């Protein structure tokens, strides 16, 4: 249960991390202080297998239209991907991803709309960055050297996702729902190592994503939701790395059922309390409004 006492206890236990500054997030030529102006990353899914149907675009024209709408609704960044992270769905090879993604990225970039490419495959990332993507949303960790080299070559920002496995489609064995160990120390260890490697490769701008949207497997959906909420509230402890924290905001279909479209607003409040600076969302207008309200109060 989340209540004021739990929040007070959490803040007191890690008081030294509460006010740690983080570096600005650079997106192309723009730079954002994400504490003063949280960055909203809207989603365009180019795979029909994506579970969040409202974000699926079934053609290049629809994807470009959706990207333009998201930007008009307040998204600072449009995140495009061509393969579902659902491990039960069919894999999409790099060639097909490239053919699907590149025309969308080129069209949005031509409109001066900042684009990020979500992928773990080096050929897809190479094509996406060459087409004009300014951010790599890296949903894997098994090919870091090649990925960081590509990002440095294009001076792209990297969102490093914490992954329990090689990438979003090759996760390790299911997380035990009864495992209540603190997840943050393991994340810090992985992020510290990967950030150092990225910087050594010449990557100048980095954000870190604890990966609560996809980076682990839990058979019990309510246990998954509890873990997600816990990580969101504890995210401020990752700020000791000096980097903005990004979250792919959960939607918890099983918890919210037919009201699932309000779930990301709920989790955005938890993420904001936890010191998050970048919000990847399928519901841009809601999240823009929620963040605005939180800043106004």
């Amino acid at each position: 249960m989340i209540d004021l006492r739990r929040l007070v206890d959490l803040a007191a236990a890690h008081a030294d991390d509460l006010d740690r500054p983080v570096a600005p997030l650079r997106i192309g030529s723009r730079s954002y202080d994400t504490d003063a102006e949280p960055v909203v990353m809207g989603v365009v899914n180019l795979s029909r297998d994506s579970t969040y149907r409202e974000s699926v675009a079934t053609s290049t024209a629809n994807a470009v239209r959706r990207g333009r709408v998201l930007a008009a609704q307040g998204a600072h960044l449009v995140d495009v991907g061509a393969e579902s992270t659902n491990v039960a769905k069919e894999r999409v090879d790099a060639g097909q991803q490239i053919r699907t993604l590149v025309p969308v990225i080129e069209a949005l970039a031509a409109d001066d709309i900042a684009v990020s490419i979500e992928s773990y495959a080096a050929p897809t990332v190479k094509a996406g960055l060459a087409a004009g993507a300014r951010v790599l949303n890296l949903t894997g960790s098994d090919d870091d050297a090649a990925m960081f080299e590509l990002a440095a070559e294009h001076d792209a920002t990297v969102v490093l996702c914490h992954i329990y496995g090689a990438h979003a489609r090759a996760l390790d064995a299911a997380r035990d729902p009864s495992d209540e160990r603190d997840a943050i120390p393991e994340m810090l260890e992985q992020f510290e190592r990967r950030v150092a490697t990225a910087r050594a490769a010449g990557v100048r701008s980095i954000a870190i994503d604890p990966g609560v949207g996809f980076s682990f497997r839990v058979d019990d959906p309510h246990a998954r939701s509890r873990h997600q909420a816990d990580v969101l509230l504890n995210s401020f402890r990752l700020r000791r790395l000096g980097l903005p924290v990004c979250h792919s905001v959960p939607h918890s279909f099983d918890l919210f059922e037919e009201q699932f479209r309000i779930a990301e607003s709920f989790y955005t409040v938890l993420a904001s309390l936890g010191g998050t600076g970048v919000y990847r969302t399928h519901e841009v207008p809601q999240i823009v409004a929620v963040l605005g309200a939180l800043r106004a109060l």
Side-chain angles (χ1 to χ4, degrees):
M1 177 177 175
I2 298 172
D3 58 20
L4 190 57
R5 187 177 301 280
R6 176 180 172 185
L7 298 179
V8 169
D9 290 345
L10 175 61
H14 305 283
D16 291 345
D17 292 325
L18 282 173
D19 297 318
R20 291 183 186 269
V22 296
L25 182 74
R26 188 171 53 82
I27 303 175
S29 61
R30 303 178 180 96
S31 184
Y32 298 92
D33 175 352
T34 57
D35 286 334
E37 181 182 2
V39 167
V40 176
M41 180 190 296
V43 178
V44 176
N45 283 318
L46 294 166
S47 166
R48 293 173 183 263
D49 289 332
S50 296
T51 55
Y52 210 97
R53 306 306 300 171
E54 289 74 12
S55 66
V56 173
T58 57
S59 69
T60 298
N62 287 341
V64 173
R65 184 184 308 113
R66 175 169 171 79
R68 289 169 176 162
V69 169
L70 293 174
Q73 290 172 332
H76 302 79
L77 183 63
V78 175
D79 190 51
V80 296
E83 182 185 52
S84 171
T85 57
N86 187 332
V87 296
K89 300 299 182 179
E90 185 177 355
R91 298 285 291 271
V92 181
D93 65 53
Q96 180 58 43
Q97 289 190 45
I98 291 168
R99 289 190 292 274
T100 303
L101 288 167
V102 165
V104 177
I105 296 171
E106 288 178 338
L108 293 176
D111 286 346
D112 198 30
I113 295 172
V115 180
S116 65
I117 179 169
E118 179 208 313
S119 183
Y120 55 83
T124 305
V125 169
K126 181 177 181 179
L129 294 177
R134 292 294 169 254
V135 175
L136 166 56
N137 186 11
L138 181 53
T139 54
S141 61
D142 63 338
D143 203 10
D144 277 356
M147 296 297 196
F148 297 153
E149 181 179 343
L150 286 168
E153 178 184 343
H154 292 274
D155 199 20
T157 292
V158 176
V159 177
L160 281 180
C161 297
H162 181 260
I163 297 287
Y164 291 97
H167 54 74
R169 294 297 298 264
L171 302 179
D172 289 344
R175 182 185 175 94
D176 183 351
S178 65
D179 184 356
E180 297 183 355
R181 289 176 301 171
D182 184 357
I184 300 301
E186 179 183 350
M187 291 182 185
L188 282 168
E189 180 181 358
Q190 185 188 107
F191 281 134
E192 285 175 341
R193 181 176 67 254
R194 297 179 71 201
V195 167
T197 303
R199 284 176 169 157
V203 177
R204 294 200 299 152
S205 181
I206 302 170
I208 53 175
D209 181 350
V212 296
F214 55 83
S215 74
F216 64 101
R217 295 168 60 191
V218 173
D219 295 328
D220 178 351
H222 293 291
R224 179 184 181 88
S225 297
R226 287 192 295 272
H227 173 74
Q228 290 170 323
D230 186 64
V231 172
L232 291 170
L233 289 170
N234 276 272
S235 295
F236 69 95
R237 296 165 55 197
L238 298 170
R239 291 168 62 100
R240 68 182 65 179
L241 296 173
L243 300 171
V245 176
C246 170
H247 273 295
S248 183
V249 186
H251 32 264
S252 296
F253 294 117
D254 292 273
L255 190 64
F256 285 84
E257 298 181 343
E258 70 273 11
Q259 297 299 323
F260 74 92
R261 294 196 68 175
I262 69 171
E264 293 191 9
S265 296
F266 167 76
Y267 283 116
T268 290
V269 174
L270 302 188
S272 178
L273 292 173
T276 299
V278 185
Y279 300 77
R280 180 184 183 273
T281 178
H282 304 83
E283 301 286 354
V284 167
Q286 291 182 19
I287 273 50
V288 167
V290 168
L291 291 171
L294 287 169
R295 293 198 304 276
L297 296 176

